[in-house]
Amino acid sequence: MSLRFKNFSNLKYVGGLSQIKNIKNPIKLSANESALGPSKKAISAFVKNSKKLSRYPDGNSNILTQSISKNFKLNPNNIIIGNGSDEIISLACQLFLKPNDEVIVTEYSFLMYRIYAKIHGGKVISAPEDNFKANIDSILAKVTARTKIVFLANPNNPTGTYLDKNEMLLLRKKLRSNILLVVDDAYFEFVINNDYVSGLNLFKNFSNVLITRSFSKIHGLASLRLGWGYGPKNIISGMKLIKPPFNVNSAAQVAGVEALRDKKWLQKNIDHNRKWADIFFENFVNLGILTNVPVANFFLMHFNNKQITADQVFDKFIKSKIILRKMKAYGLPNSLRVTIGNNSENNLFLKTLNKIFDV
Ligand SMILES: Cc1ncc(COP(=O)(O)O)c(C=O)c1O
């Protein structure tokens, strides 16, 4: 008799490519990582931590919890630190979902919501978007008696669009109160649009909203796997009970504290991103490439109105050693996503783009 186990073979997440065969030191603009890297202070905390590798990390991530609590004026009991915000998403699914409970995601949403919802026995329901933007009525139309969780990244990856403050409040107001709304703030630092408010600032005192945040994006600590969640104490306590005991390594904890402290570096990243987002957008408009308006540190480019396919554009960029993100897994075979990089990476991206599309 053979061993039997659950089959998750169709749930594998494939991240943005880092390597291309026969290409040395490619430029990776495929995973929405930081353009400028982490704060030097975070790096030196990481290096200093190397003296303590034989010790288990603090399972409660206390110093980082305290630092987040101070920085954002939050009660530490409402905070959970995770091995990437991915882990917070997974824990939320694990805590809430019973077999056949329904989880609503938007049409082109971050794939990990679907993956974790399914791993933990949920049924994923996709709510159509409106021109690549989440639509409240469409989400509400998908609600049934079995709906347990609604996931929404704001801004959303990969579409680069967002719901404004009023839309977010309206969504929560119209959703049944016993449905958990998870607002993923992974890219909130980049957004400077006046009508935008982060999930944390909107829903701090709500009993049915969980916020996730990440150190992988603007803080440049993707490899350390560090994120956190904020929510009502009972939900956070429930998640802490089921999390792995030493889920966050000690290097991530100390680097996270320093990353939060280094406000100058944060601002430099925001300024860099805003400057280049505007330049990218201007180029897209000039070349007739359909995309989102500047919001986060990436753009989703669509090629249906062009003579060339996304795969062909991808290959041409590879010739310039630039790796973009293919969007087939998201159901967008003729689109590509590009992350804003550093100055020289961006100049090469724009030069290549103009060479391809300037006829
Ligand atoms: C919307 C969104 N949420 C969460 C994550 C995952 O972040 P982390 O590295 O903190 O797990 C990503 C990463 O691409 C993302 O785009």
Side-chain angles (χ1 to χ4, degrees):
M1 274 216 291
S2 60
L3 289 167
R4 298 191 56 181
F5 52 88
K6 295 174 188 167
N7 181 358
F8 292 127
S9 59
N10 58 342
L11 294 183
K12 188 168 163 45
Y13 178 79
V14 182
L17 289 177
S18 317
Q19 291 300 326
I20 294 285
K21 222 173 147 190
N22 299 329
I23 298 200
K24 248 183 152 180
N25 304 323
I27 294 169
K28 186 185 176 197
L29 302 181
S30 60
N32 294 350
E33 293 153 331
S34 150
L36 306 179
S39 148
K40 286 201 175 65
K41 290 176 184 158
I43 297 173
S44 54
F46 171 86
V47 171
K48 213 165 135 201
N49 183 74
S50 65
K51 295 199 178 73
K52 299 185 199 158
L53 296 188
S54 63
R55 300 290 175 206
Y56 282 101
D58 170 9
N60 299 317
S61 298
N62 265 322
I63 53 158
L64 181 56
T65 304
Q66 291 304 328
S67 142
I68 290 172
S69 154
K70 215 169 116 198
N71 196 67
F72 298 103
K73 300 192 173 47
L74 306 171
N75 185 327
N77 294 329
N78 298 84
I79 299 168
I80 179 169
I81 314 294
N83 193 267
S85 54
D86 273 356
E87 190 180 42
I88 309 297
I89 298 166
S90 176
L91 289 171
C93 290
Q94 199 177 347
L95 186 65
F96 275 83
L97 298 180
K98 295 207 207 78
N100 295 321
D101 278 347
E102 291 175 359
V103 173
I104 299 178
V105 298
T106 54
E107 190 174 3
Y108 306 114
S109 49
F110 182 50
L111 291 178
M112 293 314 298
Y113 309 148
R114 296 160 196 255
I115 292 173
Y116 284 129
K118 286 181 188 165
I119 287 174
H120 295 297
K123 191 170 160 204
V124 174
I125 310 290
S126 170
E129 294 182 6
D130 209 358
N131 196 21
F132 302 104
K133 186 184 149 180
N135 180 289
I136 297 175
D137 291 331
S138 143
I139 294 170
L140 294 170
K142 294 292 179 186
V143 171
T144 73
R146 290 178 176 226
T147 308
K148 265 286 177 60
I149 307 179
V150 173
F151 278 104
L152 191 71
N154 206 35
N156 183 53
N157 168 30
T159 55
T161 55
Y162 69 97
L163 294 187
D164 68 26
K165 175 186 170 184
N166 294 335
E167 291 171 309
M168 291 299 283
L169 289 173
L170 189 65
L171 173 63
R172 182 58 274 181
K173 193 171 156 200
K174 289 200 161 180
L175 267 183
R176 212 172 54 228
S177 63
N178 67 352
I179 295 172
L180 177 72
L181 174 63
V182 179
V183 182
D184 182 336
D185 273 356
Y187 299 95
F188 89 95
E189 295 97 336
F190 294 108
V191 190
I192 58 167
N193 310 45
N194 287 332
D195 56 356
Y196 173 83
V197 180
S198 73
L200 186 66
N201 285 342
L202 272 181
F203 297 114
K204 216 174 256 185
N205 299 314
F206 280 61
S207 62
N208 47 16
V209 180
L210 175 70
I211 311 299
T212 63
R213 291 205 161 178
S214 176
F215 280 87
S216 303
K217 305 303 172 186
I218 207 156
H219 291 299
L221 295 175
S223 88
L224 291 182
R225 310 306 302 124
L226 187 60
W228 53 284
Y230 174 89
K233 193 169 165 243
N234 59 338
I235 296 177
I236 296 297
S237 303
M239 290 167 77
K240 283 181 179 170
L241 286 176
I242 57 172
K243 80 172 183 63
F246 303 107
N247 59 329
V248 181
N249 70 75
S250 54
Q253 294 183 32
V254 292
V257 168
E258 292 306 318
L260 272 187
R261 214 174 257 159
D262 197 344
K263 302 273 188 266
K264 259 197 191 151
W265 187 245
L266 178 68
Q267 192 57 47
K268 192 174 160 122
N269 277 270
I270 295 169
D271 296 344
H272 171 88
N273 192 69
R274 184 49 37 186
K275 173 185 144 191
W276 280 105
D278 288 343
I279 298 172
F280 272 40
F281 187 66
E282 196 184 315
N283 276 264
F284 294 137
V285 170
N286 287 343
L287 298 170
I289 294 169
L290 301 174
T291 187
N292 51 284
V293 298
V295 174
N297 66 333
F298 58 89
F299 286 92
L300 185 61
M301 305 174 283
H302 309 282
F303 304 109
N304 279 346
N305 63 335
K306 296 287 180 194
Q307 303 299 323
I308 187 168
T309 66
D311 280 350
Q312 289 166 330
V313 175
F314 180 90
D315 290 343
K316 285 184 186 282
F317 271 100
I318 290 296
K319 292 209 171 89
S320 290
K321 296 171 80 169
I322 293 175
I323 309 177
L324 301 179
R325 180 61 171 267
K326 288 193 179 182
M327 285 288 128
K328 282 195 184 76
Y330 285 85
L332 294 165
N334 212 17
S335 305
L336 292 172
R337 194 189 65 198
V338 58
T339 308
I340 294 171
N342 64 29
N343 292 344
S344 64
E345 292 168 341
N346 295 338
N347 282 325
L348 183 61
F349 168 79
L350 292 174
K351 195 171 146 198
T352 310
L353 189 78
N354 277 280
K355 221 159 77 188
I356 300 170
F357 289 100
D358 202 5
V359 280

